[in-house]
Amino acid sequence: MSFGATSRSLRGISAVVALLAVGATGCSDAIDSAKDGAKKVARQRSVFSLSPGDCYNPNSKATETEAFAIEVVPCKEPHEGQVVGEFTIDDEKAFPGDDAVAVIADERCPVEAQKFTPDNWALPQGVDVFYYHPTKESWATGDRAVSCAYTKDSGKLSGSLKSAPLNADQLAYLKGSNAVYDALWMNQPEGDEIEDDLPGYKTQAKAVAAALDAHVEALRDIEQPETGKLRAQLEKAVGQWKKAASAGDTDTFYLAYDAAFTGIDPNKTVAARKELNLATTVPADEADVWAG
């Protein structure tokens, strides 16, 4: 199997485990080393056997592209990844190729990750989505599974990243909020400048307006003061996104887009999030975008 980062391809056909050597640095050290080695060997699993919730350390070097086995560890121990979901590629008879499989994983793994941890603000900094997917060789043996995981840019994770149970208001807020920002980032226009691709930017604005409309409507059922203030702010933003979506020229678009974009600044949602007992630290990458 191969790996990717939502990364590219890691699933294997067989697992080969190397026993750790016991150094001759004294009987006590040798016994401790032997115990550590035995524990590591006992935790070895085929990449095929990964299940959602599993915390693990890969055996492969970061530069390698295929994996055969991983070490499953208790989530309370330091680890490099945690499986957040899985799915099978059922609508392809022949191996579609690494690039095609990666496109499928890039699209579906973030969805699985969002189910596992609906509030991405609650994730530690540097956590990203990664996946293991079939290779041409493993496909021939019947492998169709893609395992989606969280990994960290550097260092290791500690504890499970799975969300604690959320109440109805929290889930409603997160569903709407996630949809708004997904609409923004998943409809990025091809042109870097609005003048180069006004139709593309209008399409993006239309998608955001639709998602924001649904988000505002859902917030009406949450009877909390700060959430009510946020709803009123977002209602104004909806109007600006709709103006941008229907703009007949770039000047009109610019005027609407500036107010529309500012209207969904995540920093303006912190008070409502605090009221709903959700994470309140804006992720660094989002903070950078709205900081200009």
Side-chain angles (χ1 to χ4, degrees):
M1 181 163 252
S2 283
F3 51 89
T6 250
S7 175
R8 280 247 192 269
S9 22
L10 282 187
R11 227 175 251 274
I13 299 174
S14 62
V16 179
V17 178
L19 293 175
L20 299 182
V22 177
T25 56
C27 182
S28 177
D29 289 345
I31 292 174
D32 288 342
S33 181
K35 287 181 178 179
D36 290 342
K39 181 189 292 185
K40 185 176 180 67
V41 170
R43 290 174 171 179
Q44 297 301 307
R45 299 287 186 275
S46 166
V47 181
F48 289 107
S49 68
L50 283 172
S51 298
D54 283 348
C55 294
Y56 68 91
N57 288 311
N59 291 326
S60 301
K61 301 291 186 182
T63 56
E64 295 178 357
T65 58
E66 291 190 13
F68 302 98
I70 43 80
E71 178 192 9
V72 174
V73 302
C75 291
K76 64 184 179 181
E77 294 184 13
H79 53 277
E80 293 185 28
Q82 181 173 16
V83 182
V84 299
E86 59 185 3
F87 62 89
T88 57
I89 302 174
D90 296 322
D91 51 355
E92 299 284 349
K93 292 184 179 180
F95 181 63
D98 289 333
D99 289 342
V101 172
V103 168
I104 295 171
D106 283 339
E107 179 179 327
R108 294 188 59 178
C109 277
V111 176
E112 296 299 321
Q114 202 168 88
K115 293 176 187 175
F116 194 80
T117 310
D119 188 3
N120 67 315
W121 286 30
L123 294 172
Q125 186 172 345
V127 169
D128 206 348
V129 180
F130 182 89
Y131 50 82
Y132 294 105
H133 70 69
T135 62
K136 182 177 181 180
E137 292 74 20
S138 68
W139 185 279
T141 71
D143 179 22
R144 300 291 186 274
V146 176
S147 294
C148 310
Y150 276 135
T151 61
K152 208 164 183 288
D153 290 342
S154 61
K156 292 198 173 186
L157 299 167
S158 178
S160 175
L161 296 178
K162 185 172 178 60
S163 290
L166 300 174
N167 63 40
D169 285 352
Q170 291 171 320
L171 288 171
Y173 174 86
L174 291 172
K175 179 181 178 181
S177 179
N178 289 338
V180 169
Y181 294 105
D182 284 347
L184 179 68
W185 302 124
M186 293 176 66
N187 291 280
Q188 284 288 89
E190 294 184 8
D192 292 334
E193 302 292 336
I194 293 173
E195 289 83 357
D196 298 333
D197 189 12
L198 181 58
Y201 280 89
K202 289 174 63 176
T203 296
Q204 180 194 47
K206 183 178 180 180
V208 174
L212 199 52
D213 242 344
H215 185 31
V216 168
E217 191 60 34
L219 292 181
R220 296 186 191 283
D221 295 328
I222 302 177
E223 298 179 355
Q224 298 280 0
E226 292 299 335
T227 305
K229 292 177 185 178
L230 175 62
R231 184 184 68 242
Q233 170 200 309
L234 294 179
E235 284 177 337
K236 295 178 182 178
V238 170
Q240 295 300 327
W241 282 105
K242 289 180 177 178
K243 286 181 181 179
S246 62
D249 55 69
T250 55
D251 287 346
T252 303
F253 184 91
Y254 270 116
L255 289 173
Y257 189 78
D258 183 57
F261 195 76
T262 301
I264 61 170
D265 182 344
N267 291 286
K268 296 180 179 180
T269 70
V270 171
R273 279 177 156 272
K274 183 177 181 180
E275 181 177 70
L276 293 170
N277 292 315
L278 294 169
T280 56
T281 300
V282 182
D285 53 349
E286 293 185 31
D288 288 345
V289 170
W290 270 270

